[in-house]
């Protein structure tokens, strides 16, 4: 079974939701047969790389809330993160473009290090003081920590077109599937779960999707040549 997760590094509910999903997956009896694929979704697509602002400023402008309301929301998120054993800085975080991070995540996927890089980016953005925005050296350091080659990472970051199509395709696919926000979880392209649901909801979704998988229907014309463990059938000509 495949679970695809659309998320953004700037999304605090994606950070919390990933931990809740992983809690459910860890207890799922068939977890070893579940493939998890992370897909790109930008909360601010098209945002300039150097357009960085405090999280509280972004929240007040984007959602029309007061600074006190925005801070209360951050405090609540900090408590939700702590409940999952996650560190979360409720003061002093900033916000910016995540496009380069998504490009690096596609590069990391090719190298088999996507999960490691995603975790490193989340931790850096939500728990650590140094910003991840408009700082290629910071991203290089995190990529190396995740097991990626330093020079290869620099090459990807230096080329704005590298993996850009993969990011945009993920975002188009999210739109086709009806995702209007993240995190967005899709199980075997049959079930969708929106938001940072509880581990119990994820457990229910995994169980239901697993139980309703369709068995393979074999369409056999009875006469087609094929290859198998004993070799290949030799066609006979009359």
């Amino acid at each position: 079974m495949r679970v695809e997760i659309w998320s953004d590094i700037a999304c605090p509910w994606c950070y919390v939701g990933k931990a809740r999903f992983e809690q459910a997956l860890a207890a799922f009896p068939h977890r070893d047969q579940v493939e998890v694929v992370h897909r790109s979704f930008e909360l601010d697509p098209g945002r300039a790389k150097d357009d960085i602002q405090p999280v509280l400023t972004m929240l007040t402008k984007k959602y029309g809330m007061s600074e006190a309301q925005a801070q209360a929301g951050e405090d609540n998120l900090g408590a939700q993160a702590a409940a999952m054993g996650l560190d979360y800085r409720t003061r002093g975080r900033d916000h910016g473009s995540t496009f380069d991070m998504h490009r690096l995540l596609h590069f990391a996927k090719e190298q088999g290090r996507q999960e490691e890089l995603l975790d490193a980016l989340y931790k850096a953005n939500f728990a650590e003081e140094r910003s991840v925005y408009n700082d290629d050296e910071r991203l290089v350091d995190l990529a190396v920590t995740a097991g990626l080659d330093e020079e290869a990472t620099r090459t990807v970051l230096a080329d704005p077109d590298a993996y850009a199509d993969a990011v945009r395709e993920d975002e188009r696919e999210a739109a086709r599937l009806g995702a209007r926000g993240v995190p967005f979880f899709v199980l075997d392209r049959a079930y969708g779960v929106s938001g940072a649901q509880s581990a119990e909801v994820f457990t229910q979704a995994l169980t239901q999707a697993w139980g309703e998988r369709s068995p393979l229907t074999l369409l056999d014309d009875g006469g087609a040549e094929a290859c198998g463990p004993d070799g290949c059938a030799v066609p006979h000509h009359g």
Side-chain angles (χ1 to χ4, degrees), residues 8 10 42-44 47-53 55 58 94-99 101 125 131-134:
D8 191 9
E42 294 170 277
L43 294 176
D44 277 326
R47 189 183 187 105
K49 186 170 180 175
D50 60 357
D51 183 6
I52 304 166
Q53 61 186 163
V55 165
M58 179 274 293
D94 58 4
H95 178 81
S97 170
T98 56
F99 185 59
M101 293 180 236
N125 185 48
S131 176
V132 294
Y133 300 105
N134 197 22

Side-chain angles (χ1 to χ4, degrees), residues 59-214:
L59 290 172
T60 57
K61 289 183 177 179
K62 188 169 185 177
Y63 300 107
M65 60 177 65
S66 69
E67 188 167 315
Q69 288 172 321
Q71 187 59 66
E74 282 292 284
D75 290 340
N76 176 55
L77 276 160
Q80 300 272 1
M84 296 305 302
L86 301 172
D87 293 328
Y88 190 100
R89 294 176 66 233
T90 60
R91 303 288 191 279
R93 291 195 307 106
D94 58 4
H95 178 81
S97 170
T98 56
F99 185 59
D100 282 352
M101 293 180 236
H102 284 296
R103 295 195 301 110
L104 281 180
L105 283 166
H106 279 278
F107 164 61
K109 182 182 177 183
E110 286 187 352
Q111 307 301 312
R113 310 299 293 180
Q114 188 186 49
E115 193 81 31
E116 290 83 355
L117 180 59
L118 183 59
D119 284 340
L121 290 170
Y122 273 142
K123 183 180 179 183
N125 185 48
F126 291 108
E128 297 175 0
E129 190 168 344
R130 183 178 170 187
S131 176
V132 294
Y133 300 105
N134 197 22
D135 185 348
D136 285 359
E137 287 306 309
R138 175 67 161 144
L139 296 183
V140 169
D141 289 347
L142 292 169
V144 171
T145 298
L148 294 168
D149 179 76
E150 179 178 341
E151 287 309 310
T153 300
R154 291 185 187 281
T155 299
V156 172
L157 287 172
D159 179 4
D161 292 329
Y163 301 95
D165 288 345
V167 175
R168 298 304 184 214
E169 178 53 35
D170 274 359
E171 293 173 337
R172 285 191 293 269
E173 186 66 10
R176 286 193 289 267
L177 291 171
R180 292 181 292 276
V182 284
F184 187 67
F185 301 78
V186 177
L187 292 75
D188 260 357
R189 290 296 171 105
Y191 294 93
V193 179
S194 182
Q197 303 286 348
S198 66
E200 290 76 17
V201 170
F202 286 125
T203 296
Q204 181 183 354
L206 285 165
T207 302
Q208 187 168 349
W210 181 268
E212 295 186 14
R213 289 175 308 141
S214 298

Side-chain angles (χ1 to χ4, degrees), residues 224-236:
E225 292 84 4
C227 294
D230 298 323
C232 295
V234 179
H236 298 282

